[in-house]
Amino acid sequence: AIDVTLPGLPLPAGGLHPINRVYDDLTAIYERMGYTVVEGPEIEDEHHNFEALNVPWFHPARDLQDTFWLEDGRLLRTHTSPMQVRYMVDHEPALKIVARGKVYRYEATDATHEAMFHQLEGLVVGDHISMADLKGTIAEMARGLYGATAKVRFQPSYYPFTEPGADFAVYWDNPRGESKWLELGGCGMVHPNVFRAVDDLREAAGKERVYEGKTGFAFGLGPERIAMLKYRIPDIRYFYANDPRVIGQFRGEL
Ligand code: TYR
């Protein structure tokens, strides 16, 4: 006879990778603020990755991001910022987007550096967008991640595609007593040369020039840094080594 009251056998459950879980947290926060979530190509050309972002070939900033070059001038994108250019060429202002995805840098790996990692890029363009809007947005993200008491900190920095540019940190206020400032990413007001390069590309594609005189802000951050703290993962290489002892801890957690 069959005892239908016996508990069933548990089915093995998969789980989301910690980076995807952090991405989902972040995109939920930005969707609440009315942002559209987009993705784009990991294989880029020099123009979108550098030139159109106000980084000419002779610019020393090219050395800051060592590049994996492919054939005929193509490359693995070194950041998600080329998505700013792609999205603006295809869409007219006003706009609010976050772009997520993998980026690649030709560097030696250690506990905090990988040759492949992830970024979340934000871009807001419209009329009279200011640095105050940028600060408010980053603060709202920090509250979404770490609760109402979260703090943010900005310090001046340099990115060729911003003017002014800044780096930002959020205060990670944690009951385990590990609270600290987490340097999370770069940001700034979109440089007018980026708008000009976008309009040039639009014109070449037979579209109207619509970015002259617009203002906007952008930011880029690394979900690995958030995930390492949140899930206490001490080495960034654990994310991608496919060791079941690491990834198995996220089984059944969706
Ligand atoms: N692309 C920069 C990097 O990878 C981060 C960044 C993104 C900085 C947007 C500023 C900005 O407006 O280092």
Side-chain angles (χ1 to χ4, degrees), residues 189-219:
M189 303 306 293
V190 178
H191 197 292
N193 286 352
V194 176
F195 288 139
R196 208 164 294 130
V198 164
D199 271 341
D200 288 347
L201 283 166
R202 289 179 59 89
E203 195 166 47
K207 295 174 188 169
E208 228 185 308
R209 301 183 73 96
V210 284
Y211 282 93
E212 173 106 50
K214 297 293 169 192
T215 49
F217 66 75
F219 57 85

PDB file of all heavy atoms in Angstrom, residues 189-219:
ATOM      1  N   MET A 189      29.103  64.526 -13.991  1.00  0.00           N
ATOM      2  CA  MET A 189      28.218  65.129 -14.986  1.00  0.00           C
ATOM      3  C   MET A 189      28.767  64.776 -16.370  1.00  0.00           C
ATOM      4  O   MET A 189      29.980  64.835 -16.595  1.00  0.00           O
ATOM      5  CB  MET A 189      28.162  66.652 -14.813  1.00  0.00           C
ATOM      6  CG  MET A 189      27.720  67.096 -13.417  1.00  0.00           C
ATOM      7  SD  MET A 189      26.142  66.363 -12.886  1.00  0.00           S
ATOM      8  CE  MET A 189      24.982  67.123 -14.028  1.00  0.00           C
ATOM      9  N   VAL A 190      27.882  64.410 -17.287  1.00  0.00           N
ATOM     10  CA  VAL A 190      28.308  63.988 -18.622  1.00  0.00           C
ATOM     11  C   VAL A 190      29.046  65.133 -19.322  1.00  0.00           C
ATOM     12  O   VAL A 190      28.541  66.260 -19.397  1.00  0.00           O
ATOM     13  CB  VAL A 190      27.096  63.543 -19.473  1.00  0.00           C
ATOM     14  CG1 VAL A 190      27.548  63.143 -20.871  1.00  0.00           C
ATOM     15  CG2 VAL A 190      26.355  62.394 -18.787  1.00  0.00           C
ATOM     16  N   HIS A 191      30.250  64.843 -19.805  1.00  0.00           N
ATOM     17  CA  HIS A 191      31.074  65.855 -20.482  1.00  0.00           C
ATOM     18  C   HIS A 191      30.411  66.268 -21.810  1.00  0.00           C
ATOM     19  O   HIS A 191      29.931  65.400 -22.559  1.00  0.00           O
ATOM     20  CB  HIS A 191      32.459  65.265 -20.758  1.00  0.00           C
ATOM     21  CG  HIS A 191      33.503  66.291 -21.061  1.00  0.00           C
ATOM     22  ND1 HIS A 191      33.484  67.049 -22.213  1.00  0.00           N
ATOM     23  CD2 HIS A 191      34.592  66.694 -20.356  1.00  0.00           C
ATOM     24  CE1 HIS A 191      34.519  67.869 -22.208  1.00  0.00           C
ATOM     25  NE2 HIS A 191      35.210  67.672 -21.092  1.00  0.00           N
ATOM     26  N   PRO A 192      30.395  67.573 -22.110  1.00  0.00           N
ATOM     27  CA  PRO A 192      29.787  68.038 -23.376  1.00  0.00           C
ATOM     28  C   PRO A 192      30.377  67.353 -24.609  1.00  0.00           C
ATOM     29  O   PRO A 192      29.671  67.165 -25.615  1.00  0.00           O
ATOM     30  CB  PRO A 192      30.095  69.544 -23.399  1.00  0.00           C
ATOM     31  CG  PRO A 192      30.402  69.914 -21.998  1.00  0.00           C
ATOM     32  CD  PRO A 192      30.870  68.685 -21.269  1.00  0.00           C
ATOM     33  N   ASN A 193      31.653  66.958 -24.549  1.00  0.00           N
ATOM     34  CA  ASN A 193      32.256  66.260 -25.701  1.00  0.00           C
ATOM     35  C   ASN A 193      31.591  64.910 -25.955  1.00  0.00           C
ATOM     36  O   ASN A 193      31.603  64.418 -27.095  1.00  0.00           O
ATOM     37  CB  ASN A 193      33.763  66.053 -25.478  1.00  0.00           C
ATOM     38  CG  ASN A 193      34.542  67.335 -25.633  1.00  0.00           C
ATOM     39  OD1 ASN A 193      33.989  68.358 -26.055  1.00  0.00           O
ATOM     40  ND2 ASN A 193      35.821  67.304 -25.276  1.00  0.00           N
ATOM     41  N   VAL A 194      31.042  64.291 -24.919  1.00  0.00           N
ATOM     42  CA  VAL A 194      30.330  63.016 -25.108  1.00  0.00           C
ATOM     43  C   VAL A 194      29.027  63.276 -25.874  1.00  0.00           C
ATOM     44  O   VAL A 194      28.700  62.573 -26.836  1.00  0.00           O
ATOM     45  CB  VAL A 194      30.048  62.326 -23.755  1.00  0.00           C
ATOM     46  CG1 VAL A 194      29.217  61.062 -23.948  1.00  0.00           C
ATOM     47  CG2 VAL A 194      31.355  62.003 -23.027  1.00  0.00           C
ATOM     48  N   PHE A 195      28.298  64.319 -25.465  1.00  0.00           N
ATOM     49  CA  PHE A 195      27.071  64.670 -26.193  1.00  0.00           C
ATOM     50  C   PHE A 195      27.381  64.989 -27.652  1.00  0.00           C
ATOM     51  O   PHE A 195      26.640  64.614 -28.560  1.00  0.00           O
ATOM     52  CB  PHE A 195      26.380  65.869 -25.527  1.00  0.00           C
ATOM     53  CG  PHE A 195      25.728  65.541 -24.206  1.00  0.00           C
ATOM     54  CD1 PHE A 195      25.823  66.419 -23.134  1.00  0.00           C
ATOM     55  CD2 PHE A 195      25.005  64.359 -24.034  1.00  0.00           C
ATOM     56  CE1 PHE A 195      25.213  66.130 -21.915  1.00  0.00           C
ATOM     57  CE2 PHE A 195      24.391  64.056 -22.816  1.00  0.00           C
ATOM     58  CZ  PHE A 195      24.502  64.948 -21.759  1.00  0.00           C
ATOM     59  N   ARG A 196      28.506  65.692 -27.876  1.00  0.00           N
ATOM     60  CA  ARG A 196      28.905  66.052 -29.243  1.00  0.00           C
ATOM     61  C   ARG A 196      29.207  64.795 -30.058  1.00  0.00           C
ATOM     62  O   ARG A 196      28.757  64.657 -31.200  1.00  0.00           O
ATOM     63  CB  ARG A 196      30.135  66.975 -29.192  1.00  0.00           C
ATOM     64  CG  ARG A 196      30.250  67.921 -30.348  1.00  0.00           C
ATOM     65  CD  ARG A 196      31.238  69.048 -30.063  1.00  0.00           C
ATOM     66  NE  ARG A 196      30.796  69.942 -28.995  1.00  0.00           N
ATOM     67  CZ  ARG A 196      31.528  70.305 -27.944  1.00  0.00           C
ATOM     68  NH1 ARG A 196      32.762  69.859 -27.796  1.00  0.00           N
ATOM     69  NH2 ARG A 196      31.031  71.136 -27.033  1.00  0.00           N
ATOM     70  N   ALA A 197      29.945  63.863 -29.455  1.00  0.00           N
ATOM     71  CA  ALA A 197      30.274  62.620 -30.168  1.00  0.00           C
ATOM     72  C   ALA A 197      29.015  61.824 -30.480  1.00  0.00           C
ATOM     73  O   ALA A 197      28.900  61.199 -31.544  1.00  0.00           O
ATOM     74  CB  ALA A 197      31.249  61.783 -29.330  1.00  0.00           C
ATOM     75  N   VAL A 198      28.057  61.829 -29.552  1.00  0.00           N
ATOM     76  CA  VAL A 198      26.789  61.126 -29.783  1.00  0.00           C
ATOM     77  C   VAL A 198      26.040  61.772 -30.943  1.00  0.00           C
ATOM     78  O   VAL A 198      25.559  61.085 -31.857  1.00  0.00           O
ATOM     79  CB  VAL A 198      25.921  61.137 -28.501  1.00  0.00           C
ATOM     80  CG1 VAL A 198      24.471  60.767 -28.818  1.00  0.00           C
ATOM     81  CG2 VAL A 198      26.496  60.188 -27.456  1.00  0.00           C
ATOM     82  N   ASP A 199      25.965  63.109 -30.943  1.00  0.00           N
ATOM     83  CA  ASP A 199      25.278  63.794 -32.045  1.00  0.00           C
ATOM     84  C   ASP A 199      25.970  63.531 -33.382  1.00  0.00           C
ATOM     85  O   ASP A 199      25.308  63.384 -34.411  1.00  0.00           O
ATOM     86  CB  ASP A 199      25.187  65.299 -31.758  1.00  0.00           C
ATOM     87  CG  ASP A 199      23.917  65.668 -30.984  1.00  0.00           C
ATOM     88  OD1 ASP A 199      22.957  64.862 -30.990  1.00  0.00           O
ATOM     89  OD2 ASP A 199      23.895  66.757 -30.364  1.00  0.00           O
ATOM     90  N   ASP A 200      27.301  63.456 -33.363  1.00  0.00           N
ATOM     91  CA  ASP A 200      28.034  63.133 -34.600  1.00  0.00           C
ATOM     92  C   ASP A 200      27.628  61.748 -35.115  1.00  0.00           C
ATOM     93  O   ASP A 200      27.404  61.563 -36.316  1.00  0.00           O
ATOM     94  CB  ASP A 200      29.552  63.168 -34.365  1.00  0.00           C
ATOM     95  CG  ASP A 200      30.078  64.593 -34.176  1.00  0.00           C
ATOM     96  OD1 ASP A 200      29.333  65.556 -34.468  1.00  0.00           O
ATOM     97  OD2 ASP A 200      31.236  64.734 -33.726  1.00  0.00           O
ATOM     98  N   LEU A 201      27.558  60.789 -34.210  1.00  0.00           N
ATOM     99  CA  LEU A 201      27.168  59.439 -34.617  1.00  0.00           C
ATOM    100  C   LEU A 201      25.718  59.423 -35.109  1.00  0.00           C
ATOM    101  O   LEU A 201      25.381  58.730 -36.079  1.00  0.00           O
ATOM    102  CB  LEU A 201      27.326  58.455 -33.442  1.00  0.00           C
ATOM    103  CG  LEU A 201      28.756  58.014 -33.124  1.00  0.00           C
ATOM    104  CD1 LEU A 201      28.826  57.323 -31.768  1.00  0.00           C
ATOM    105  CD2 LEU A 201      29.289  57.081 -34.218  1.00  0.00           C
ATOM    106  N   ARG A 202      24.868  60.194 -34.444  1.00  0.00           N
ATOM    107  CA  ARG A 202      23.462  60.263 -34.871  1.00  0.00           C
ATOM    108  C   ARG A 202      23.369  60.856 -36.270  1.00  0.00           C
ATOM    109  O   ARG A 202      22.674  60.338 -37.137  1.00  0.00           O
ATOM    110  CB  ARG A 202      22.640  61.099 -33.881  1.00  0.00           C
ATOM    111  CG  ARG A 202      22.409  60.421 -32.531  1.00  0.00           C
ATOM    112  CD  ARG A 202      21.610  61.334 -31.604  1.00  0.00           C
ATOM    113  NE  ARG A 202      20.313  61.667 -32.187  1.00  0.00           N
ATOM    114  CZ  ARG A 202      19.205  60.952 -32.013  1.00  0.00           C
ATOM    115  NH1 ARG A 202      19.215  59.888 -31.229  1.00  0.00           N
ATOM    116  NH2 ARG A 202      18.079  61.324 -32.599  1.00  0.00           N
ATOM    117  N   GLU A 203      24.113  61.935 -36.491  1.00  0.00           N
ATOM    118  CA  GLU A 203      24.099  62.596 -37.796  1.00  0.00           C
ATOM    119  C   GLU A 203      24.566  61.632 -38.891  1.00  0.00           C
ATOM    120  O   GLU A 203      23.950  61.522 -39.957  1.00  0.00           O
ATOM    121  CB  GLU A 203      24.993  63.829 -37.754  1.00  0.00           C
ATOM    122  CG  GLU A 203      24.794  64.789 -38.912  1.00  0.00           C
ATOM    123  CD  GLU A 203      25.453  66.141 -38.643  1.00  0.00           C
ATOM    124  OE1 GLU A 203      26.640  66.158 -38.207  1.00  0.00           O
ATOM    125  OE2 GLU A 203      24.796  67.167 -38.853  1.00  0.00           O
ATOM    126  N   ALA A 204      25.652  60.916 -38.592  1.00  0.00           N
ATOM    127  CA  ALA A 204      26.182  59.949 -39.567  1.00  0.00           C
ATOM    128  C   ALA A 204      25.169  58.856 -39.878  1.00  0.00           C
ATOM    129  O   ALA A 204      25.201  58.246 -40.950  1.00  0.00           O
ATOM    130  CB  ALA A 204      27.484  59.339 -39.033  1.00  0.00           C
ATOM    131  N   ALA A 205      24.261  58.588 -38.915  1.00  0.00           N
ATOM    132  CA  ALA A 205      23.235  57.560 -39.128  1.00  0.00           C
ATOM    133  C   ALA A 205      21.937  58.168 -39.654  1.00  0.00           C
ATOM    134  O   ALA A 205      20.897  57.496 -39.688  1.00  0.00           O
ATOM    135  CB  ALA A 205      22.976  56.803 -37.827  1.00  0.00           C
ATOM    136  N   GLY A 206      21.990  59.456 -40.043  1.00  0.00           N
ATOM    137  CA  GLY A 206      20.805  60.104 -40.610  1.00  0.00           C
ATOM    138  C   GLY A 206      19.772  60.512 -39.576  1.00  0.00           C
ATOM    139  O   GLY A 206      18.593  60.700 -39.904  1.00  0.00           O
ATOM    140  N   LYS A 207      20.211  60.636 -38.318  1.00  0.00           N
ATOM    141  CA  LYS A 207      19.275  61.055 -37.264  1.00  0.00           C
ATOM    142  C   LYS A 207      19.535  62.502 -36.882  1.00  0.00           C
ATOM    143  O   LYS A 207      20.600  63.051 -37.147  1.00  0.00           O
ATOM    144  CB  LYS A 207      19.432  60.163 -36.022  1.00  0.00           C
ATOM    145  CG  LYS A 207      19.056  58.710 -36.267  1.00  0.00           C
ATOM    146  CD  LYS A 207      19.389  57.883 -35.030  1.00  0.00           C
ATOM    147  CE  LYS A 207      19.215  56.405 -35.321  1.00  0.00           C
ATOM    148  NZ  LYS A 207      19.762  55.568 -34.253  1.00  0.00           N
ATOM    149  N   GLU A 208      18.562  63.075 -36.202  1.00  0.00           N
ATOM    150  CA  GLU A 208      18.666  64.458 -35.772  1.00  0.00           C
ATOM    151  C   GLU A 208      19.685  64.611 -34.641  1.00  0.00           C
ATOM    152  O   GLU A 208      19.830  63.714 -33.811  1.00  0.00           O
ATOM    153  CB  GLU A 208      17.291  64.877 -35.215  1.00  0.00           C
ATOM    154  CG  GLU A 208      16.771  66.197 -35.724  1.00  0.00           C
ATOM    155  CD  GLU A 208      15.463  66.542 -34.988  1.00  0.00           C
ATOM    156  OE1 GLU A 208      14.564  65.683 -34.972  1.00  0.00           O
ATOM    157  OE2 GLU A 208      15.395  67.648 -34.424  1.00  0.00           O
ATOM    158  N   ARG A 209      20.369  65.778 -34.622  1.00  0.00           N
ATOM    159  CA  ARG A 209      21.238  66.095 -33.468  1.00  0.00           C
ATOM    160  C   ARG A 209      20.346  66.633 -32.358  1.00  0.00           C
ATOM    161  O   ARG A 209      19.702  67.651 -32.534  1.00  0.00           O
ATOM    162  CB  ARG A 209      22.268  67.165 -33.859  1.00  0.00           C
ATOM    163  CG  ARG A 209      23.174  66.783 -35.004  1.00  0.00           C
ATOM    164  CD  ARG A 209      24.209  67.892 -35.266  1.00  0.00           C
ATOM    165  NE  ARG A 209      25.220  67.930 -34.222  1.00  0.00           N
ATOM    166  CZ  ARG A 209      26.407  67.321 -34.316  1.00  0.00           C
ATOM    167  NH1 ARG A 209      26.738  66.662 -35.414  1.00  0.00           N
ATOM    168  NH2 ARG A 209      27.264  67.385 -33.327  1.00  0.00           N
ATOM    169  N   VAL A 210      20.284  65.934 -31.220  1.00  0.00           N
ATOM    170  CA  VAL A 210      19.344  66.345 -30.174  1.00  0.00           C
ATOM    171  C   VAL A 210      19.989  66.504 -28.793  1.00  0.00           C
ATOM    172  O   VAL A 210      19.295  66.756 -27.819  1.00  0.00           O
ATOM    173  CB  VAL A 210      18.157  65.353 -30.058  1.00  0.00           C
ATOM    174  CG1 VAL A 210      17.175  65.563 -31.205  1.00  0.00           C
ATOM    175  CG2 VAL A 210      18.636  63.915 -30.016  1.00  0.00           C
ATOM    176  N   TYR A 211      21.328  66.338 -28.702  1.00  0.00           N
ATOM    177  CA  TYR A 211      21.944  66.361 -27.377  1.00  0.00           C
ATOM    178  C   TYR A 211      22.657  67.663 -27.033  1.00  0.00           C
ATOM    179  O   TYR A 211      23.059  67.869 -25.894  1.00  0.00           O
ATOM    180  CB  TYR A 211      22.880  65.155 -27.198  1.00  0.00           C
ATOM    181  CG  TYR A 211      22.066  63.918 -26.897  1.00  0.00           C
ATOM    182  CD1 TYR A 211      21.664  63.061 -27.917  1.00  0.00           C
ATOM    183  CD2 TYR A 211      21.632  63.652 -25.609  1.00  0.00           C
ATOM    184  CE1 TYR A 211      20.867  61.959 -27.647  1.00  0.00           C
ATOM    185  CE2 TYR A 211      20.845  62.556 -25.325  1.00  0.00           C
ATOM    186  CZ  TYR A 211      20.472  61.714 -26.347  1.00  0.00           C
ATOM    187  OH  TYR A 211      19.681  60.638 -26.067  1.00  0.00           O
ATOM    188  N   GLU A 212      22.776  68.548 -28.011  1.00  0.00           N
ATOM    189  CA  GLU A 212      23.390  69.852 -27.749  1.00  0.00           C
ATOM    190  C   GLU A 212      22.597  70.599 -26.674  1.00  0.00           C
ATOM    191  O   GLU A 212      21.379  70.724 -26.776  1.00  0.00           O
ATOM    192  CB  GLU A 212      23.390  70.668 -29.053  1.00  0.00           C
ATOM    193  CG  GLU A 212      23.834  72.096 -28.885  1.00  0.00           C
ATOM    194  CD  GLU A 212      25.251  72.321 -29.437  1.00  0.00           C
ATOM    195  OE1 GLU A 212      25.485  71.906 -30.588  1.00  0.00           O
ATOM    196  OE2 GLU A 212      26.071  72.884 -28.699  1.00  0.00           O
ATOM    197  N   GLY A 213      23.299  71.062 -25.630  1.00  0.00           N
ATOM    198  CA  GLY A 213      22.628  71.846 -24.593  1.00  0.00           C
ATOM    199  C   GLY A 213      21.936  71.011 -23.523  1.00  0.00           C
ATOM    200  O   GLY A 213      21.381  71.546 -22.562  1.00  0.00           O
ATOM    201  N   LYS A 214      21.927  69.687 -23.697  1.00  0.00           N
ATOM    202  CA  LYS A 214      21.343  68.838 -22.649  1.00  0.00           C
ATOM    203  C   LYS A 214      22.336  68.691 -21.507  1.00  0.00           C
ATOM    204  O   LYS A 214      23.538  68.926 -21.657  1.00  0.00           O
ATOM    205  CB  LYS A 214      20.997  67.452 -23.209  1.00  0.00           C
ATOM    206  CG  LYS A 214      19.932  67.484 -24.298  1.00  0.00           C
ATOM    207  CD  LYS A 214      18.594  67.914 -23.735  1.00  0.00           C
ATOM    208  CE  LYS A 214      17.608  68.213 -24.859  1.00  0.00           C
ATOM    209  NZ  LYS A 214      16.399  68.886 -24.377  1.00  0.00           N
ATOM    210  N   THR A 215      21.825  68.294 -20.354  1.00  0.00           N
ATOM    211  CA  THR A 215      22.699  68.006 -19.224  1.00  0.00           C
ATOM    212  C   THR A 215      22.363  66.617 -18.701  1.00  0.00           C
ATOM    213  O   THR A 215      21.257  66.112 -18.909  1.00  0.00           O
ATOM    214  CB  THR A 215      22.522  69.031 -18.082  1.00  0.00           C
ATOM    215  OG1 THR A 215      21.130  69.175 -17.814  1.00  0.00           O
ATOM    216  CG2 THR A 215      23.125  70.368 -18.459  1.00  0.00           C
ATOM    217  N   GLY A 216      23.320  66.024 -18.015  1.00  0.00           N
ATOM    218  CA  GLY A 216      23.064  64.693 -17.487  1.00  0.00           C
ATOM    219  C   GLY A 216      24.142  64.256 -16.533  1.00  0.00           C
ATOM    220  O   GLY A 216      25.199  64.877 -16.437  1.00  0.00           O
ATOM    221  N   PHE A 217      23.837  63.168 -15.819  1.00  0.00           N
ATOM    222  CA  PHE A 217      24.872  62.569 -14.973  1.00  0.00           C
ATOM    223  C   PHE A 217      24.985  61.090 -15.292  1.00  0.00           C
ATOM    224  O   PHE A 217      24.082  60.500 -15.909  1.00  0.00           O
ATOM    225  CB  PHE A 217      24.601  62.800 -13.477  1.00  0.00           C
ATOM    226  CG  PHE A 217      23.380  62.117 -12.916  1.00  0.00           C
ATOM    227  CD1 PHE A 217      23.369  60.751 -12.657  1.00  0.00           C
ATOM    228  CD2 PHE A 217      22.240  62.862 -12.613  1.00  0.00           C
ATOM    229  CE1 PHE A 217      22.254  60.128 -12.116  1.00  0.00           C
ATOM    230  CE2 PHE A 217      21.114  62.241 -12.072  1.00  0.00           C
ATOM    231  CZ  PHE A 217      21.120  60.865 -11.828  1.00  0.00           C
ATOM    232  N   ALA A 218      26.111  60.514 -14.893  1.00  0.00           N
ATOM    233  CA  ALA A 218      26.336  59.089 -15.110  1.00  0.00           C
ATOM    234  C   ALA A 218      27.101  58.541 -13.913  1.00  0.00           C
ATOM    235  O   ALA A 218      27.735  59.289 -13.160  1.00  0.00           O
ATOM    236  CB  ALA A 218      27.120  58.853 -16.397  1.00  0.00           C
ATOM    237  N   PHE A 219      27.012  57.229 -13.738  1.00  0.00           N
ATOM    238  CA  PHE A 219      27.799  56.585 -12.690  1.00  0.00           C
ATOM    239  C   PHE A 219      28.097  55.156 -13.099  1.00  0.00           C
ATOM    240  O   PHE A 219      27.422  54.592 -13.973  1.00  0.00           O
ATOM    241  CB  PHE A 219      27.059  56.622 -11.335  1.00  0.00           C
ATOM    242  CG  PHE A 219      25.692  55.982 -11.364  1.00  0.00           C
ATOM    243  CD1 PHE A 219      25.538  54.614 -11.181  1.00  0.00           C
ATOM    244  CD2 PHE A 219      24.566  56.763 -11.580  1.00  0.00           C
ATOM    245  CE1 PHE A 219      24.283  54.033 -11.211  1.00  0.00           C
ATOM    246  CE2 PHE A 219      23.304  56.178 -11.613  1.00  0.00           C
ATOM    247  CZ  PHE A 219      23.157  54.819 -11.425  1.00  0.00           C
TER     248      PHE A 219
END
